[in-house]
């Protein structure tokens, strides 16, 4: 490109304007007048909007007369009253309390009309409605220009268009597209008002973008709630007045508070704990990134099923149920084996050569992981941990960590299954080449699809579902934490439900935990995976619940408290 009109700084300013454009309503408008010069700049930006066939099918009415505004306001009130009964009871009550316009408060109102052409328009011969869309582009131009001059704008759509046309004496063929309120405001909100009021949640790009065509299975929408802090003071009081010095039980006190908040009770309980081990193969394993051949994945699954692995031993010791899931092992398990069949494919592709999986496969994996957790939750469980098995999965985890935590790849790549220094160097070279070829995808789900594994994607869905169900999530080591990073990028509220059980000896894990601002319970130099760190840490979690529920208070024990 020979001519570059705008700098990166200019582009960032535009991004900021778009990000902080807000629909202004209610009593937030100031009475300060807007100069004619600013109004003209806003209108000129509309004239510069794209229009199909260069039809420029827009006309505008600037309204400053309070008598005219009052008539429009009455039309709004009539339609708004009708709309109240269209929602369910909870939303109707919330709707009735909202101030949804600022027609009288704003110093300027602006009606935007579509003026249809009387002759054929290039580009509108088939899709005739694109003329309307051109006018919407003009509205967006005005909205962004207004924000650039720190003028607030609100779009009032709860109106009877024909009544507004009569009030404004609009031509019969003209169509009202938008009725806008303009004015200065004291401050712009950090987020859209309806998002702040929890009327609707902001949609994620991953759920809206499809490549080449619609995928067969869209990703589940997770409704994760902010943990209520309603009982925080009461739980803290209960902890502080146990027969001990303040803070003497250290992290156990933090754990007890966290579990009380998650369950919204002074007496939390741990019910039917589960470890779910997801297993899958990775195409990248064939590129020489692991000390073990790919066949070890299915061999270890057989070991889980026969009860001989470390995770079996620790689960048995601590009375934790274990579920083994075939998320994509390159092996067909015989019928009758105690393995959950959730196979999305016979292992992923090598991301050195192409994306590890399609977006559709990523969605299927996430949804399947969520479904498995929902079933466990419905069985009466409220505490869950996730383990994994998949030769090559430290490679996937390292790249996911690097791209989603913005940490150099060399600081994320470790010895995995026990590579020596030469093979570690080769692993880093292979992964660096893969990232150069595949690049940095735009969204966390696309990043997961490009570099992840079926077991990691299952864990992402499992974590999101567990948080939706308000379960305590025991996060294991490096691989499980990489899945947590993906889930956290999708919805940061998962952090409210997570306890990080240990710091793995895999070199990148400490940096990953630092990025998440997570404090692990243990550091035993483990790097086995399988969920073993979570199973080992579970008695500590139980201890936190036990002291909160069973330890005497100063008052009940008749012990004098510190003055």
């Amino acid at each position: 490109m020979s001519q570059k009109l705008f700098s990166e700084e200019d582009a960032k300013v535009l991004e900021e304007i778009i990000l902080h454009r807000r629909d202004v309503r209610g009593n937030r408008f100031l009475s300060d007048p807007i100069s004619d010069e600013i109004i003209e700049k806003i209108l000129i930006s509309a004239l510069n909007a794209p229009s199909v066939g260069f039809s420029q099918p827009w006309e505008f009415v600037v309204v400053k007369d309070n008598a005219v505004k009052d008539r429009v306001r009455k039309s709004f009130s009539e339609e708004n009253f009708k709309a109240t009964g269209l929602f369910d009871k909870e939303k109707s009550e919330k709707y009735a309390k909202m101030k949804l316009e600022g027609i009288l408060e704003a110093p300027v109102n602006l009606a935007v009309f579509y003026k249809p052409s009387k002759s054929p328009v290039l580009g509108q011969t088939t899709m005739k409605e694109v003329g309307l869309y051109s006018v919407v582009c003009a509205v967006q131009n005005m909205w962004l220009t207004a924000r650039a001059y720190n003028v607030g704008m609100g779009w009032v759509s709860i109106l009877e268009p024909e009544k507004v046309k009569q009030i404004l004496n609009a031509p019969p063929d003209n169509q009202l597209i938008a009725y806008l309120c303009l004015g200065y405001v004291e401050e712009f909100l950090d987020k859209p008002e309806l998002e702040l009021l929890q009327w609707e949640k902001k949609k994620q790009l991953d759920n809206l973008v499809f490549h080449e065509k619609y995928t067969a299975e869209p990703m589940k929408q997770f409704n994760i709630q902010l943990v209520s802090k309603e009982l925080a003071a009461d739980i803290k009081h209960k902890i502080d007045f146990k027969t001990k010095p303040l803070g003497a039980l250290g992290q156990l006190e933090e754990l007890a508070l966290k579990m009380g908040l998650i369950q919204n009770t002074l007496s939390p309980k741990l019910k039917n704990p589960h470890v779910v081990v997801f297993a899958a193969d990775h195409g990248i394993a064939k590129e020489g990134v692991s000390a073990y051949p790919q066949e070890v994945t299915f061999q270890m699954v057989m070991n889980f099923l026969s009860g001989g692995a470390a995770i079996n031993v620790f689960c048995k010791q601590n009375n934790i149920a274990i579920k083994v899931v075939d998320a994509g092992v390159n092996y067909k398990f015989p019928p009758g084996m105690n393995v959950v069949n959730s196979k999305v494919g016979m292992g992923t592709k090598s991301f050195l050569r192409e994306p590890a999986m399609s977006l559709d496969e990523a969605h299927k994996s996430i949804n399947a992981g969520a479904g498995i957790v929902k079933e466990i939750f419905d069985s009466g469980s409220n505490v869950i941990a996730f383990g994994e098995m998949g030769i090559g999965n430290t490679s996937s985890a390292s790249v996911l960590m690097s791209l989603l935590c913005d940490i150099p790849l060399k600081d994320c790549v470790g010895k995995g299954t026990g590579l020596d220094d030469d093979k570690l160097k080769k692993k880093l070279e292979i992964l660096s080449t893969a990232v150069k070829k595949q690049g940095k995808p735009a969204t966390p789900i696309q990043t997961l699809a490009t570099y992840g594994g079926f077991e990691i994607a299952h864990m992402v869905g499992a974590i999101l579902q567990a948080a939706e169900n308000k379960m305590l999530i025991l996060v294991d080591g490096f691989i499980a934490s990489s899945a947590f990073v993906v889930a956290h990028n999708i919805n940061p509220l998962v952090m409210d439900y997570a306890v990080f059980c240990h710091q793995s000896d895999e070199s990148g894990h400490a940096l990953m935990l630092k990025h998440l601002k997570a404090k692990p319970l243990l550091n035993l130099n483990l790097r086995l995976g399988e969920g073993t760190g979570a199973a080992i840490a579970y008695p500590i979690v139980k201890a936190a619940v036990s002291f909160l529920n069973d330890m005497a208070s100063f008052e009940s024990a008749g012990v004098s408290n510190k003055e």
Side-chain angles (χ1 to χ4, degrees):
M1 182 175 175
S2 58
Q3 186 182 23
K4 191 173 182 181
L5 294 176
F6 303 107
S7 66
E8 287 186 16
E9 287 74 21
D10 295 330
K12 287 178 182 176
V13 170
L14 177 59
E15 286 176 15
E16 285 293 309
I17 293 170
I18 292 171
L19 183 63
H20 294 103
R21 181 204 60 74
R22 293 286 173 264
D23 185 31
V24 178
R25 61 185 76 227
N27 299 312
R28 290 193 287 115
F29 286 109
L30 301 175
S31 58
D32 303 32
I34 306 173
S35 69
D36 290 341
E37 181 185 6
I38 295 294
I39 293 173
E40 185 176 357
K41 286 180 183 296
I42 291 171
L43 290 168
I44 286 172
S45 73
L47 302 188
N48 290 327
S51 59
V52 175
F54 202 52
S55 55
Q56 307 164 74
W58 38 62
E59 290 184 337
F60 312 92
V61 179
V62 178
V63 179
K64 297 182 181 179
D65 188 332
N66 283 336
V68 177
K69 290 195 284 184
D70 188 55
R71 291 178 66 193
V72 176
R73 174 68 172 74
K74 286 175 182 173
S75 170
F76 165 84
S77 297
E78 291 169 5
E79 300 307 318
N80 191 49
F81 179 75
K82 295 176 190 175
T84 306
L86 299 177
F87 304 101
D88 61 41
K89 184 181 178 184
E90 183 182 347
K91 280 204 165 182
S92 287
E93 290 173 356
K94 188 181 284 190
Y95 183 92
K97 296 175 184 176
M98 290 181 183
K99 180 82 162 67
L100 295 174
E101 48 75 39
I103 295 170
L104 296 178
E105 293 85 353
V108 177
N109 289 187
L110 181 63
V112 183
F113 288 93
Y114 166 59
K115 184 179 181 63
S117 173
K118 297 189 182 300
S119 57
V121 176
L122 186 155
Q124 292 186 40
T125 51
T126 303
M127 294 179 66
K128 301 185 186 306
E129 65 275 14
V130 293
L132 302 172
Y133 307 154
S134 297
V135 181
V136 174
C137 289
V139 173
Q140 181 70 337
N141 270 19
M142 289 192 289
W143 216 333
L144 295 173
T145 303
R147 183 64 185 88
Y149 285 99
N150 290 311
V151 173
M153 181 180 286
W155 187 327
V156 184
S157 58
I158 308 169
L159 292 166
E160 172 49 57
E162 290 304 315
K163 287 185 180 178
V164 176
K165 283 176 63 176
Q166 282 184 342
I167 294 167
L168 301 181
N169 198 30
D173 289 344
N174 277 23
Q175 188 171 340
L176 180 68
I177 300 301
Y179 193 88
L180 308 170
C181 303
L182 282 77
Y184 292 106
V185 295
E186 194 71 49
E187 63 177 349
F188 288 90
L189 297 177
D190 291 336
K191 292 181 178 181
E193 190 169 0
L194 291 182
E195 183 180 0
L196 290 172
L197 293 171
Q198 296 187 335
W199 181 266
E200 293 288 353
K201 294 182 181 295
K202 188 172 184 178
K203 294 181 178 179
Q204 299 294 317
L205 185 63
D206 287 311
N207 301 321
L208 304 172
V209 177
F210 301 88
H211 294 272
E212 316 312 334
K213 60 182 180 180
Y214 275 94
T215 55
E217 185 170 353
M219 193 181 100
K220 178 186 184 301
Q221 300 291 298
F222 294 93
N223 181 24
I224 301 173
Q225 301 295 316
L226 188 69
V227 166
S228 171
K229 300 292 171 57
E230 180 185 358
L231 293 180
D234 291 338
I235 300 168
K236 188 74 168 61
H237 181 274
K238 185 177 179 181
I239 292 169
D240 289 346
F241 280 79
K242 296 295 184 181
T243 48
K244 60 171 182 59
L246 281 174
L249 285 176
Q251 274 185 266
L252 288 183
E253 298 189 16
E254 296 172 21
L255 265 178
L257 176 61
K258 186 170 197 114
M259 283 181 285
L261 292 176
I262 289 173
Q263 296 182 17
N264 199 29
T265 178
L266 294 174
S267 303
K269 295 179 180 178
L270 299 173
K271 301 176 184 176
N272 195 13
H274 273 68
V275 170
V276 185
V277 183
F278 296 101
D281 275 306
H282 291 250
I284 194 70
K286 298 175 183 177
E287 308 291 353
V289 295
S290 175
Y292 287 86
Q294 193 180 75
E295 297 77 42
V296 171
T297 302
F298 93 81
Q299 291 168 357
M300 278 303 301
V301 172
M302 300 297 282
N303 194 24
F304 297 147
L305 297 175
S306 65
I311 188 59
N312 301 100
V313 173
F314 299 137
C315 283
K316 183 178 180 182
Q317 172 190 314
N318 295 317
N319 198 26
I320 302 171
I322 183 170
K323 191 180 287 287
V324 181
V325 178
D326 172 14
V329 180
N330 189 23
Y331 179 81
K332 291 185 178 179
F333 292 96
M337 301 202 74
N338 192 26
V339 59
V340 178
N341 182 9
S342 187
K343 194 189 293 287
V344 176
M346 302 295 280
T348 54
K349 301 177 178 68
S350 170
F351 60 76
L352 179 63
R353 305 172 192 287
E354 57 187 314
M357 66 186 94
S358 68
L359 205 57
D360 190 36
E361 288 172 326
H363 288 172
K364 283 180 178 177
S365 298
I366 289 168
N367 294 350
I372 289 165
V373 169
K374 180 66 166 58
E375 189 176 303
I376 292 171
F377 172 75
D378 289 341
S379 74
S381 174
N382 68 357
V383 55
I384 196 162
F386 306 110
E388 38 58 45
M389 180 63 221
I391 295 300
N393 62 11
T394 59
S395 294
S396 285
S398 298
V399 177
L400 292 174
M401 170 190 171
S402 176
L403 295 177
L404 296 177
C405 300
D406 197 23
I407 297 173
L409 187 60
K410 64 181 177 61
D411 297 327
C412 305
V413 178
K415 294 187 176 181
T417 48
L419 298 174
D420 59 29
D421 289 342
D422 288 340
K423 289 183 178 177
L424 176 61
K425 183 180 178 182
K426 181 184 177 184
K427 178 181 179 180
L428 178 58
E429 289 173 354
I430 291 167
L431 298 184
S432 298
T433 302
V435 172
K436 284 178 185 175
K437 181 175 182 179
Q438 305 297 343
K440 183 176 182 178
T443 71
I445 306 275
Q446 289 171 345
T447 306
L448 174 68
T450 304
Y451 299 104
F454 292 137
E455 86 283 29
I456 295 176
H458 272 69
M459 278 195 287
V460 171
I463 290 165
L464 292 166
Q465 184 65 50
E468 179 178 299
N469 292 137
K470 300 182 185 295
M471 302 175 80
L472 180 67
I473 304 168
L474 304 179
V475 184
D476 190 47
F478 185 59
I479 315 299
S481 295
S482 74
F484 188 89
V485 164
V486 179
H488 184 263
N489 272 262
I490 295 169
N491 193 325
L493 292 182
V494 295
M495 200 72 184
D496 285 357
Y497 299 89
V499 169
F500 291 81
C501 294
H502 76 114
Q503 180 179 311
S504 166
D505 208 34
E506 186 69 15
S507 60
H509 197 216
L511 288 174
M512 200 187 299
L513 293 173
K514 184 179 179 182
H515 172 80
L516 291 167
K517 298 178 182 175
K519 184 161 62 173
L521 296 180
L522 300 170
N523 187 348
L524 301 176
N525 302 119
L526 306 175
R527 54 180 181 85
L528 180 58
E530 302 177 10
T532 48
I536 292 169
Y538 181 62
I540 297 174
V541 179
K542 285 179 69 178
V545 170
S546 296
F547 102 76
L548 182 61
N549 291 335
D550 301 332
M551 186 176 174
S553 66
F554 284 106
E555 183 180 7
S556 68
V559 177
S560 297
N561 196 358
K562 179 173 121 178
E563 289 184 0

